[in-house]
Amino acid sequence: MSTLDQLKSAQKDAMRAKDKVRLGTIRLALAAIKQVEVDNRVELSDQEVVAILTKMVKQRNDSINQYQAAGRQDLADVEAAEIIVLKDFLPQELTDAEIDQLIDAAMEQSGAASMQDMGKVMGILKPQVQGRADMGAVSAKIRSRLN
């Protein structure tokens, strides 16, 4: 079952269960997906849907940091609840050891030796870790190894 189908099914389940937080978050995700489909006049692949959900999680993490800095824990809690719902539809996250193995394999495959080869390594890794790890953290690990 595709991620989009899972979202639609979960939307129905949330309606039946009268789970307002889950329903609202799923509706936001479906609206974001639909917006991209309409704007680009295409039907999104499962990987593109995961990329949209990953972006939504990242946006919510940024919002949590801003709300906490402003002393608005109530709003930060709402964003955290939305992240929990969104993560239900993302692939299982990679462990640090798994990320390190993927980086080693990508560096070996690309023959990366300096910071100039960063793009090659990221190009190989991105499809493998999209939605399963924070790309910023992966990028920092690659950068530290190439320096």
Side-chain angles (χ1 to χ4, degrees):
M1 183 185 291
S2 73
T3 306
L4 188 58
D5 292 337
Q6 289 176 358
L7 280 165
K8 289 177 181 177
S9 175
Q11 181 184 20
K12 292 174 189 170
D13 293 341
M15 281 184 205
R16 287 186 197 108
K18 296 183 180 9
D19 186 347
K20 290 183 181 182
V21 173
R22 186 170 178 82
L23 179 61
T25 304
I26 292 170
R27 282 183 173 160
L28 284 172
L30 289 171
I33 292 165
K34 191 64 163 175
Q35 183 67 47
V36 172
E37 287 181 339
V38 168
D39 288 349
N40 298 334
R41 295 185 178 144
V42 294
E43 191 168 322
L44 297 178
S45 69
D46 204 42
Q47 188 174 10
E48 293 166 322
V49 170
V50 169
I52 291 171
L53 295 177
T54 302
K55 182 179 176 183
M56 291 178 73
V57 169
K58 186 176 187 303
Q59 288 170 337
R60 275 145 187 80
N61 279 325
D62 292 343
S63 295
I64 288 173
N65 292 336
Q66 291 175 0
Y67 287 142
Q68 288 175 339
R72 294 296 310 264
Q73 190 59 41
D74 55 328
L75 296 174
D77 292 342
V78 170
E79 297 289 329
E82 289 181 359
I83 288 174
I84 292 169
V85 173
L86 291 171
K87 283 191 174 184
D88 288 345
F89 301 100
L90 292 173
Q92 184 176 0
E93 291 191 17
L94 295 170
T95 64
D96 283 339
E98 291 170 325
I99 292 171
D100 290 338
Q101 288 175 347
L102 289 172
I103 290 172
D104 291 340
M107 287 178 68
E108 190 175 310
Q109 181 180 346
S110 67
S114 68
M115 278 302 292
Q116 295 173 342
D117 301 324
M118 176 94 174
K120 293 178 187 175
V121 177
M122 286 298 288
I124 294 170
L125 278 178
K126 190 170 182 176
Q128 297 173 359
V129 300
Q130 183 80 37
R132 299 177 67 197
D134 178 23
M135 292 304 291
V138 172
S139 176
K141 283 186 174 197
I142 295 169
R143 191 173 292 117
S144 69
R145 289 196 185 173
L146 291 175
N147 282 336

